[in-house]
Amino acid sequence: MVQIGQNVSHAKAWLERGNVVGIPTETVYGLAGNALDTNAVLTIFRVKNRPTFDPLIIHTDTPAKLSQFVTDFPPAARQLADAFWPGPLTLLLPKQASIPDLVTAGLPTVAVRIPNHPLTLQLLAELDFPLAAPSANPFGYISPTTARHVADQLGNQIPYILDGGPARIGLESTIVGFEGDMPCVFRLGGLTQAQIEAVVGPVTVQTHSTDNPAAPGMLSSHYAPRKPLILLKPGQSPPLTNPNRTGMLAFREPVGGVPDAQQRILSATGDLDEAAKNLFAYLRWLDTLDLDLIYAETLPNTGLGAAINDRLRRASVQK
Ligand code: TXA
Ligand code: MG
């Protein structure tokens, strides 16, 4: 049985013995293991049931430590790191040989991030290796934003979850790569395009996947509940053929005709940060109900709305 607690030394001891543990971050919970230990990394892939062609992010607590793991830090990357670390920013940088090829799925770049959570920063400061940590959900399912979410799905496979409370942002980090010094956003997340551009100027956004995407995890069917999720345009009413079998993820107000007990409101005040924080927990909750399908309203594309809509679109791809 998994133990859930706030004991950084426990988490550290498990990790030093090659185990994987759940860790809190400000974005979502991660499933962490020693990034330099191929067996620990293999355990991450196995526990998540994740294909090994989908590379992992490594986490440290200081930019100085990263110099052992990357060969180059372009000026634009440096500016972004200075502006947003610790925080919801992941940078794709050329890797050193010290990072196992398993971590990067054979790619020449490694994804790196300094997360902003006091318990995890303390843990990273006490470890003498970086942590590889994908989101702590089974591959393809909704990311976890509480320790309970992690325990519900992976609790029988991991010894410990460090409980840092509900994730403050609730969306994964924004991933930025570089061609030369030109930044490109590969995944929109907790940082908006406007926030990135305020630091480095105009960026291209390339979050749409192909069969062989540059960010392999950017597969279109992702973040998905088990029930079919159908996207509604803002203001569009759901066709209610069977209201008692229908769930609703609404933005500001409940939708008439769907029973209240089958609805969740992302933010009654229309606050997109609040909506982001609630998104995955509410989708999970709706997924536990005995329903045939779930409707979700598309949100305004401003602020975190763009990243929320991206997750809803990926979740709505029929499997
Ligand atoms: O907020 C987050 O980023 C969370 C927390 C735990 O830090 N982590 C997270 O990891 O979302 P994961 O594995 O669920 O998503 C990482 C994404 C994947 O889509 C993966 O394909 C992409 O990053 N990725 C990792 N390394 C890459 C690389 N070298 N090149 C391109 N994409 C990469
Ligand atoms: Mg993930």
Side-chain angles (χ1 to χ4, degrees):
M1 237 345 248
V2 66
Q3 239 195 309
I4 302 180
Q6 299 183 321
N7 194 321
V8 171
S9 321
H10 275 166
K12 178 173 182 248
W14 284 115
L15 289 163
E16 283 174 341
R17 272 178 265 147
N19 289 284
V20 300
V21 302
I23 57 163
T25 85
E26 79 285 25
T27 58
V28 299
Y29 273 70
L31 180 66
N34 180 350
L36 307 181
D37 172 355
T38 307
N39 282 324
V41 177
L42 274 173
T43 305
I44 295 174
F45 281 103
R46 197 189 61 235
V47 168
K48 269 188 72 97
N49 197 19
R50 173 166 168 141
T52 50
F53 62 70
D54 193 2
L56 307 179
I57 300 174
I58 68 160
H59 300 70
T60 66
D61 63 314
T62 65
K65 284 188 188 170
L66 285 176
S67 58
Q68 309 162 54
F69 309 119
V70 304
T71 58
D72 187 30
F73 219 119
R78 180 70 60 194
Q79 287 172 303
L80 289 170
D82 287 347
F84 299 119
W85 277 348
L89 169 74
T90 293
L91 297 174
L92 302 179
L93 298 172
K95 84 175 197 71
Q96 288 198 20
S98 57
I99 298 295
D101 288 332
L102 184 61
V103 169
T104 62
L107 293 172
T109 54
V110 59
V112 297
R113 173 162 118 81
I114 301 182
N116 192 7
H117 191 289
L119 287 183
T120 292
L121 284 173
Q122 190 191 332
L123 174 66
L124 288 165
E126 291 181 19
L127 289 170
D128 57 13
F129 47 81
L131 290 176
S135 52
N137 50 281
F139 182 67
Y141 196 67
I142 303 160
S143 297
T145 55
T146 66
R148 176 47 50 197
H149 292 162
V150 182
D152 284 347
Q153 290 191 301
L154 305 181
N156 58 356
Q157 298 185 77
I158 60 178
Y160 195 69
I161 302 168
L162 191 57
D163 187 354
R168 189 167 51 75
I169 294 178
L171 291 174
E172 300 83 354
S173 60
T174 294
I175 301 180
V176 182
F178 302 88
E179 291 198 357
D181 200 35
M182 282 298 295
C184 175
V185 173
F186 287 102
R187 175 175 75 182
L188 276 174
L191 283 181
T192 64
Q193 185 180 348
Q195 283 174 293
I196 304 276
E197 291 185 335
V199 174
V200 291
V203 294
T204 51
V205 179
Q206 204 182 310
T207 63
H208 268 283
S209 59
T210 61
D211 287 340
N212 185 19
M218 301 288 81
L219 306 169
S220 29
S221 177
H222 226 84
Y223 310 103
R226 297 202 177 79
K227 297 190 181 73
L229 180 86
I230 298 166
L231 268 188
L232 300 171
K233 298 195 180 69
Q236 184 192 349
S237 313
L240 290 176
T241 40
N242 196 350
N244 291 327
R245 305 287 306 162
T246 301
M248 180 74 213
L249 184 67
F251 179 31
R252 302 188 61 157
E253 304 176 337
V255 169
V258 179
D260 277 351
Q262 292 158 215
Q263 300 206 49
R264 277 285 188 264
I265 312 301
L266 285 173
S267 171
T269 60
D271 176 342
L272 290 163
D273 293 351
E274 184 184 25
K277 196 173 169 155
N278 289 331
L279 177 71
F280 290 147
Y282 287 1
L283 269 177
R284 270 176 189 259
W285 180 82
L286 286 165
D287 208 20
T288 64
L289 303 182
D290 183 22
L291 302 171
D292 292 338
L293 46 79
I294 302 166
Y295 285 103
E297 253 176 306
T298 307
L299 272 57
N301 252 318
T302 51
L304 289 184
I308 297 173
N309 288 336
D310 169 84
R311 300 304 186 272
L312 288 173
R313 268 194 302 273
R314 290 176 201 279
S316 72
V317 173
Q318 305 289 305
K319 287 180 287 187

